[in-house]
């Protein structure tokens, strides 16, 4: 049996496409067209409601160009040379700016400037409508923190009054009303509130309309807009960035993009000015020191000349002084360079700990190309590290790599400055030596001249340094005021007035597809996915015995069919039996079931091939519930309608399904077989449905049904019935349940094997075929009972189509 089940299962799997082709699917779908229509209507209605409840989303786009850095390092300039060859790409900085635009810090600042944490909306029939830019009044909350959340309603009323009500803070709701006037702070459950009139052209009066005002966490709002922002490069070789934002408010999307670009440029300018600010601070500190020193030198000269009553110094050695003064000037220049170098060295060494990554003042007066180049590179790396640390965190590997590079560069700067100071010391020493040798030649000059000369020399050194720093300060201020923004706006935020979402046509189409797919999926799993016998095709592919009929399922088309279904569900077993016992065929019946019974009657007559001795027809099945009694009763009635004498013998002496409708305890087969009553006339019950139809009940319950059926009296009973009737129909038990069916079949001329659609598993059909091949049942044929319209593929060409044309 297991092998047979496996074989039929394999056959069913291999021929699944042949069993259920496209025409079958269409027939099944047409039979359930009402369910399809209902499903489509419901899904389209759901799609329509979804479209109505979903706000329109608009898209806005802005285009900016990232300006190139003019003061880039030599390495970057050389890398740009190989960009066209594809060896080195210089778009890394532009890629970094893509990430900078999406940083939380910039978007939170944008949300803060536009007050995006306060949302305004009004109720509609299906959804809320956002009122950004169109609300007649705006609210500000001076006492509210940025992370605070609450809600209230604002209602503009006639006379210019604004009613604030229904305050919600956390889980508390305050129903008190507060009336406010524009510009006047009022106390409310959420703190002070200031109402301001919206001066925009898009503002609507909305008098008497409740406006929902919600205050959200500013950081959460900024993160939400940052997630919705899309950034992309216009081209791999270009430095143009496209910023895209989708929002339910066209005006808000435009303002968010424009403000974001402005915030980005301000942040870039502040970043670039950090070096200039530190340099300005250093210069101002040194100027203050020099001012004090120059005042002291001037006072020393004045006191010295006053105490010695000096007004002019003789120019006795004018020829010598020209060369001597040149040497002194050189010494002063060298001292100036050394002082500036020493200042910078002290400044670098004073930056320890977290301050070691501060920028170094540039253009401070060090006349050494190598030192100036190293300082410029140091400041560039320092700014890059600071910006990357803000975006990625201090533990980022790139931040640590930049820190190591900066530390190495600082060491090189210190080493270069030390070397510069040592070389200046040597040169100063040589110059001073030459000055000292020249001063010996001034011995003839009065001591006062020498003292004044030394003091005046210090004065000149400090004056030169002071004037130099003044010039540098002016140049630094000019650079500070001329700092350019990092991005240039090519196209401001703009876009189409048509919404990008929801896509109404697509959603309605999707609703239509789902409406078709839901019943299709249900039918597929319930009909195609079922392993039960569904139709005649399932039987004819496995069984070789003759197929004599296909009886449709009895459908209740009465007005109260739905009520009968409820009753059947409540009392399923009782109604199931009653349904099987109903005789639906009559003289004037033209329903599909009656026509199917007539077809089966005709096919049985053809199987007899004119042999009048084949009178005994036995009904059996594989398992209970196949409808044997229903088929027996209606077949007998159809034969009786042809004026043939027919008797139904209830040989199911265990249950007596046929006898139940006349009374289970009536005498019958068991009484005759047991020898209690040999008079057949006393046992036969005449049917009230036809004068040609009689019934022989099962009789009283017997303790040994199988033994009774083995008695020779069964043959005697059948022989007596053959003399009286044209047809004898034996309503028997299932063949697979008990042995009664095989025992009774010895007196049968034909065996009708009843299979009920949806009741027998297709994997059991090989067992039925084996019963036929084994010869246990005489002249087996098969009838399919209870075929639903869904599975009855021939219904459009058979009973259902031609039921109005009469009998077969």
């Amino acid at each position: 049996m297991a092998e047979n089940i496996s074989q039929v299962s394999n056959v069913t799997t291999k021929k699944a496409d042949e069993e259920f082709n496209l025409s079958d699917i269409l027939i099944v779908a047409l039979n359930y067209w009402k369910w399809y229509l209902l499903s489509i209507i419901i899904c389209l209605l759901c799609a329509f409601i979804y479209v109505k409840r979903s706000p329109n989303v608009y898209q806005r786009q802005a285009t900016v160009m990232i300006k190139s850095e003019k003061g880039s390092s030599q390495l970057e300039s050389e890398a740009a040379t190989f960009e066209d060859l594809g060896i080195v790409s210089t778009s890394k900085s532009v890629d970094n700016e893509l990430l900078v635009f999406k940083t939380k810090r910039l978007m939170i600042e944008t949300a803060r400037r536009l007050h995006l944490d306060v949302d305004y909306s009004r109720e509609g029939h299906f959804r809320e409508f956002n009122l950004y830019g169109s609300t007649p009044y705006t609210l500000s909350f001076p006492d509210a923190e940025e992370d605070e959340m609450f809600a209230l309603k604002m209602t503009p009323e006639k006379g210019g009054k604004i009613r604030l009500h229904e305050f919600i803070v956390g889980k508390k709701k305050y129903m008190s009303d507060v009336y406010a006037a524009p510009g006047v702070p009022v106390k409310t459950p959420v703190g002070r509130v200031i109402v301001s009139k919206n001066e925009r052209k898009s503002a609507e009066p909305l008098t008497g309309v409740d406006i929902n005002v919600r205050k959200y966490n500013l950081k959460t709002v900024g993160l939400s807009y940052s997630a919705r922002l899309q950034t992309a490069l216009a081209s791999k070789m270009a430095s143009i960035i496209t910023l895209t934002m989708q929002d339910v408010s066209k005006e808000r999307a435009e303002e968010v993009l424009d403000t974001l670009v402005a915030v980005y440029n301000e942040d870039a300018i502040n970043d670039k000015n950090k070096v200039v600010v530190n340099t300005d601070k250093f210069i101002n500190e040194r100027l203050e020191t020099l001012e004090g020193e120059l005042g002291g030198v001037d006072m020393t000269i004045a006191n010295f000349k006053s105490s010695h009553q000096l007004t002019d110094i003789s120019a006795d050695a004018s020829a010598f002084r020209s060369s001597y003064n040149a040497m002194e000037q050189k010494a002063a220049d060298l001292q100036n360079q050394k002082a500036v170098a020493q200042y910078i060295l002290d400044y670098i060494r004073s930056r320890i700990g977290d301050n070691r990554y501060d920028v170094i003042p540039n253009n401070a007066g060090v006349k050494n190309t190598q030192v100036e180049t190293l300082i410029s590179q140091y400041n560039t790396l320092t700014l890059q590290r600071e910006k990357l640390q803000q975006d990625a965190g201090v533990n980022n590997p790139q931040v640590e790599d930049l820190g190591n590079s900066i530390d190495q560069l600082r060491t090189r700067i210190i080493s270069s400055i030390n070397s510069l100071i040592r070389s200046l010391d040597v040169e100063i020493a040589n110059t001073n030596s030459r000055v000292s040798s020249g001063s010996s030649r001034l011995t003839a000059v009065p001591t006062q001249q020498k003292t004044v000369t030394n003091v005046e020399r210090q004065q000149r050194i400090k004056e030169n340094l002071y004037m130099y720093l003044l010039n540098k300060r002016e140049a630094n201020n000019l650079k500070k005021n001329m700092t350019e923004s990092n991005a240039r706006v090519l196209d401001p935020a703009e876009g189409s007035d048509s919404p990008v979402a929801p896509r109404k046509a697509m959603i309605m189409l999707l609703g239509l597809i789902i409406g078709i797919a839901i019943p299709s999926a249900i039918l597929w799993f319930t009909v195609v996915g079922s392993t039960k016998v569904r139709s005649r095709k399932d039987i004819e592919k496995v069984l070789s015995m003759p197929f004599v009929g296909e009886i449709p399922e009895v459908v209740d088309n009465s007005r109260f069919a739905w009520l009968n279904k409820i009753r059947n569900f409540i009392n399923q077993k009782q109604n199931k039996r009653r349904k099987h016992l109903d005789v639906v065929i009559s003289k004037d019946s033209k329903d599909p079931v009656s026509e199917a019974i007539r077809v089966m009657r005709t096919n049985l007559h053809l199987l007899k091939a004119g042999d009048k001795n084949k009178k005994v027809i036995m009904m059996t099945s594989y398992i209970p519930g196949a409808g044997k009694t229903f088929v027996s009763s209606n077949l007998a009635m159809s034969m009786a309608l042809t004026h043939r004498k027919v008797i139904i013998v209830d040989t199911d002496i265990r249950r007596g399904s046929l006898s139940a409708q006349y009374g289970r305890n009536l005498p019958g087969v068991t009484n005759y077989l047991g020898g209690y009553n040999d008079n057949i006339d006393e046992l036969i019950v005449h049917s009230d449905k036809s004068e040609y139809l009689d019934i022989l009940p099962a009789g009283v319950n017997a303790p040994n049904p199988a033994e009774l059926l083995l008695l020779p009296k069964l043959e005697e009973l059948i022989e007596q019935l053959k003399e009286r009737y044209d047809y004898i129909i034996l309503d028997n038990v299932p063949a697979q349940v008990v042995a009664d069916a095989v025992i009774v079949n010895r007196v049968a001329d034909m065996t009708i094997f009843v299979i009920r659609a949806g009741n027998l598993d297709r994997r059991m059909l090989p067992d039925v075929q084996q019963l036929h091949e084994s010869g246990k049942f005489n002249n087996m044929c098969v009838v399919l009972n209870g075929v639903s319209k869904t599975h009855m593929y021939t219904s459009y060409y058979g009973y259902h189509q031609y039921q109005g044309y009469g009998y077969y």
Side-chain angles (χ1 to χ4, degrees):
M1 179 176 178
E3 295 178 359
N4 294 332
I5 293 177
S6 176
Q7 291 174 1
V8 73
S9 179
N10 293 335
V11 170
T12 303
T13 303
K14 293 179 181 178
K15 298 185 178 180
D17 294 336
E18 298 177 3
E19 292 178 359
F20 210 72
N21 53 34
L22 182 59
S23 62
D24 298 336
I25 296 175
L26 292 177
I27 291 174
V28 172
L30 289 174
N31 287 334
Y32 287 95
W33 67 269
K34 294 181 180 179
W35 292 105
Y36 274 92
L37 180 60
L38 179 62
S39 176
I40 290 173
I41 292 175
I42 293 175
C43 291
L44 286 179
L45 181 61
C46 293
F48 176 77
I49 295 175
Y50 174 80
V51 170
K52 285 295 183 181
R53 292 188 60 85
S54 300
N56 291 333
V57 179
Y58 301 89
Q59 180 171 291
R60 289 296 180 264
Q61 192 174 77
T63 306
V64 297
M65 182 178 69
I66 304 300
K67 299 177 182 179
S68 59
E69 294 289 344
K70 296 180 180 180
S72 58
S73 63
Q74 183 179 0
L75 179 61
E76 293 175 346
S77 300
E78 292 175 354
T81 305
F82 297 97
E83 183 177 3
D84 294 338
L85 300 178
I87 301 175
V88 179
S89 176
T90 59
S91 63
K92 181 179 180 181
S93 60
V94 181
D95 293 336
N96 291 337
E97 301 309 313
L98 286 175
L99 300 177
V100 172
F101 271 109
K102 290 183 67 67
T103 53
K104 305 171 185 176
R105 176 173 52 86
L106 294 183
M107 190 57 77
I108 292 175
E109 178 61 26
T110 301
R112 183 181 293 110
R113 293 189 183 186
L114 296 177
H115 304 289
L116 298 181
D117 55 335
V118 181
D119 183 71
Y120 303 88
S121 62
R122 66 175 177 87
E123 297 290 341
H125 293 293
F126 290 93
R127 59 180 175 86
E128 287 188 354
F129 291 89
N130 189 272
L131 297 178
Y132 182 86
S134 60
T135 178
Y137 299 95
T138 59
L139 304 182
S140 58
F141 309 93
D143 300 333
E145 300 294 335
E146 290 186 346
D147 59 348
E148 194 171 349
M149 299 175 62
F150 51 82
L152 67 145
K153 289 188 177 181
M154 173 179 64
T155 306
E157 297 184 350
K158 295 181 179 180
K161 291 184 178 181
I162 299 94
R163 182 166 66 98
L164 307 178
H165 55 103
E166 295 187 24
F167 299 88
I168 300 177
V169 182
K171 296 182 178 180
K172 295 183 178 180
K173 188 173 183 179
Y174 304 88
M175 301 303 297
S176 58
D177 293 349
V178 178
Y179 289 88
V184 181
V186 293
K187 292 184 178 180
T188 67
V190 297
R192 287 185 302 160
V193 177
I194 301 176
V195 180
S196 303
K197 189 172 183 180
N198 190 357
E199 301 297 339
R200 298 189 183 190
K201 295 181 179 180
S202 57
E204 302 177 9
L206 298 178
T207 304
V209 178
D210 290 342
I211 300 175
N212 298 320
V213 183
R214 298 181 179 90
K215 167 70 172 61
Y216 297 104
N217 187 324
L218 180 65
K219 182 178 180 181
T220 303
V221 173
L223 295 178
S224 174
Y225 277 90
S226 179
R228 288 156 51 188
L229 176 68
Q230 297 180 2
T231 59
L233 282 176
S235 174
K236 293 183 179 180
M237 302 299 294
S239 59
I240 297 176
I241 295 177
T242 301
L243 306 176
T244 305
M245 173 69 69
Q246 292 185 356
D247 199 348
V248 296
S249 172
K250 296 179 285 186
E251 188 175 1
R252 181 166 58 187
E254 293 174 359
E255 292 185 2
V256 167
L257 291 179
D258 293 339
T259 306
L260 177 63
V261 175
V263 171
Y264 167 81
N265 281 331
E266 292 177 10
D267 183 73
I269 290 174
N270 293 333
D271 188 41
K272 292 178 180 179
N273 284 338
K274 284 186 178 181
V275 176
V276 178
V277 170
N278 285 346
T279 302
D280 186 64
K281 181 179 179 180
F282 169 76
I283 293 175
N284 288 332
E285 291 177 354
R286 296 311 307 155
L287 286 175
E288 291 178 2
T289 303
L290 288 174
E291 286 177 356
E293 293 178 353
L294 283 174
V297 172
D298 292 341
M299 185 59 66
T300 300
I301 294 176
N303 291 336
F304 181 80
K305 289 185 177 181
S306 176
S307 62
H308 292 83
Q309 298 180 354
L310 296 175
T311 57
D312 189 14
I313 300 176
S314 176
D316 293 341
S318 58
F320 168 76
R321 286 185 177 275
S322 59
S323 61
Y324 182 80
N325 290 336
M327 192 61 62
E328 282 187 332
Q329 183 64 40
K330 182 177 180 181
D333 292 339
L334 294 175
Q335 287 288 354
N336 183 23
Q337 294 183 36
K338 179 182 177 182
V340 172
Q342 188 64 45
Y343 293 155
I344 295 177
L345 182 61
D346 294 339
Y347 178 84
I348 295 174
R349 289 176 174 173
S350 65
R351 302 302 176 189
I352 60 175
D354 294 335
N355 296 329
R356 71 179 187 276
Y357 296 116
D358 290 345
V359 294
I360 301 174
N362 200 1
N363 301 326
V366 178
K367 296 181 179 180
N368 187 282
T369 304
Q370 182 180 2
V371 173
E372 289 182 350
T373 300
L374 291 176
I375 291 175
S376 177
Q377 295 177 359
Y378 178 91
N379 290 336
T380 300
L381 292 179
T382 300
L383 292 176
Q384 291 180 1
R385 179 189 177 277
E386 182 178 357
K387 193 169 187 179
L388 184 60
Q389 180 178 344
Q390 291 178 356
D391 295 334
V394 68
N395 295 324
N396 189 278
Q398 295 184 4
V399 174
E400 294 178 359
D401 293 339
L402 285 174
N404 295 332
S405 301
I406 292 171
D407 291 337
Q408 295 176 3
L409 196 57
R410 187 192 301 107
T411 303
R412 291 180 58 191
I413 293 173
I414 293 174
S415 175
S416 300
I417 294 176
N418 285 329
S419 300
L420 176 61
I421 292 175
R422 286 194 296 272
S423 63
L424 289 175
D425 287 338
V426 173
E427 193 171 355
I428 290 171
N430 293 333
T431 304
N432 289 336
S433 175
R434 294 175 63 184
V435 170
S436 298
S437 63
S439 65
S440 61
R441 300 176 62 184
L442 299 176
T443 55
V445 181
T447 304
Q448 296 85 354
Q449 177 69 30
K450 182 178 179 182
T451 302
V452 170
T453 301
N454 290 333
V455 175
E456 288 178 348
R457 181 174 59 190
Q458 295 179 9
Q459 184 185 34
R460 287 194 299 271
I461 293 174
K462 296 183 183 299
E463 286 179 350
N464 292 335
L465 181 58
Y466 186 79
M467 295 302 299
Y468 177 80
L469 291 177
L470 283 177
N471 292 332
K472 286 297 180 181
R473 185 172 66 178
E474 292 299 323
N476 195 62
N477 289 335
L478 182 63
K479 182 178 180 181
K480 180 179 179 181
N481 294 327
M482 294 180 63
T483 303
E484 295 182 349
S485 60
N486 207 34
R488 180 163 67 93
V489 178
L490 300 181
D491 292 318
E494 58 184 3
S496 173
D497 291 335
S498 301
V500 296
R503 302 176 65 181
K504 299 179 182 179
M506 185 64 68
I507 292 175
M508 297 301 293
L509 178 60
L510 183 61
L512 176 63
I513 294 174
I514 294 176
I516 297 174
I518 290 176
S520 298
I522 295 175
L523 288 177
W524 179 266
F525 286 108
T526 57
V527 177
V528 182
S530 175
T531 60
K532 301 294 183 180
V533 173
R534 302 189 307 266
S535 65
R536 179 175 180 172
K537 293 181 180 180
D538 298 332
I539 295 176
E540 291 179 338
K541 285 196 298 289
V542 180
L543 303 183
S544 61
M545 65 186 73
F547 188 89
V548 295
E550 186 179 11
I551 303 175
E553 183 180 13
V554 178
V555 179
D556 188 359
N557 294 320
S558 64
R559 183 178 180 183
F560 300 100
W562 59 273
L563 184 59
N564 293 332
K565 290 182 179 180
I566 296 177
R567 291 173 179 171
N568 292 339
F569 179 78
I570 295 174
N571 194 5
Q572 185 175 3
K573 291 185 178 180
Q574 179 180 355
N575 284 282
K576 184 176 182 181
R577 177 176 295 179
R578 183 178 301 163
K579 180 179 177 182
H580 289 176
L581 295 177
D582 286 342
V583 176
V584 298
I585 189 170
S586 63
K587 182 178 181 180
D588 298 325
S589 61
K590 299 178 182 180
D591 58 275
V593 178
S594 300
E595 296 298 332
I597 296 295
R598 293 186 178 101
V599 171
M600 185 178 70
R601 180 190 65 194
T602 303
N603 291 335
L604 288 174
H605 181 72
L606 294 175
L607 285 178
K608 290 174 58 177
D611 189 352
K612 297 182 178 181
N613 294 325
K614 293 182 179 180
K615 294 183 177 183
V616 183
I617 302 173
M618 189 187 83
M619 295 286 178
T620 186
S621 64
Y622 194 79
I623 56 177
K628 301 180 299 298
T629 304
F630 174 80
V631 176
S632 300
S633 302
N634 284 276
L635 178 61
M637 186 63 186
S638 68
M639 292 177 174
L641 291 175
T642 61
H643 297 174
R644 305 291 180 86
K645 292 287 291 183
V646 184
I647 185 170
I648 306 175
V649 181
D650 190 356
T651 54
D652 184 2
I653 60 178
R654 298 175 183 268
R655 297 181 59 187
S657 300
L658 178 66
S659 305
Q661 58 184 327
Y662 300 100
R664 182 65 180 87
N665 295 324
L666 290 176
V669 175
T670 56
N671 299 79
Y672 183 86
L673 296 180
Y676 299 107
N677 193 339
D678 294 333
N679 189 353
I680 299 178
D681 295 329
E682 296 178 357
L683 302 177
I684 294 175
V685 178
H686 299 287
S687 173
D688 57 353
K689 296 181 180 296
S690 175
E691 59 179 325
Y692 296 97
L693 178 62
D694 295 331
I695 295 96
L696 181 59
V700 297
N701 290 330
N704 54 346
E707 287 73 11
L708 280 177
L709 295 173
L710 284 170
L711 294 175
K713 295 200 70 174
L714 179 62
E715 284 86 345
E716 296 177 5
L717 175 63
I718 299 301
E719 290 298 327
Q720 293 185 42
L721 294 177
K722 283 183 178 181
E723 296 176 356
R724 300 184 181 193
Y725 296 94
D726 297 318
Y727 290 101
I728 304 168
I729 299 178
L730 306 179
D731 186 18
N732 213 335
V733 298
Q736 193 66 15
V737 177
V738 291
D740 297 8
V742 178
I743 295 174
V744 174
N745 194 256
R746 71 181 187 273
V747 298
D749 299 320
M750 296 180 64
T751 304
I752 298 179
F753 202 92
V754 182
I755 296 176
R756 184 173 181 83
N759 179 259
L760 183 68
D761 197 306
R762 290 198 299 268
R763 292 172 293 185
M764 295 181 181
L765 290 177
D767 294 337
V768 179
Q769 176 65 19
Q770 188 177 7
L771 290 176
H772 172 59
E773 295 174 354
S774 64
K776 293 181 180 180
F777 294 96
N778 300 324
N779 299 321
M780 282 186 67
C781 58
V782 65
V783 61
L784 182 61
N785 181 34
V787 183
S788 66
K789 187 178 179 182
T790 304
H791 296 145
M792 198 166 187
Y793 304 110
T794 60
S795 62
Y796 287 94
Y797 303 96
Y799 320 114
H800 292 283
Q801 189 175 18
Y802 298 107
Q803 56 180 287
Y805 286 87
Y807 307 105
Y808 279 81

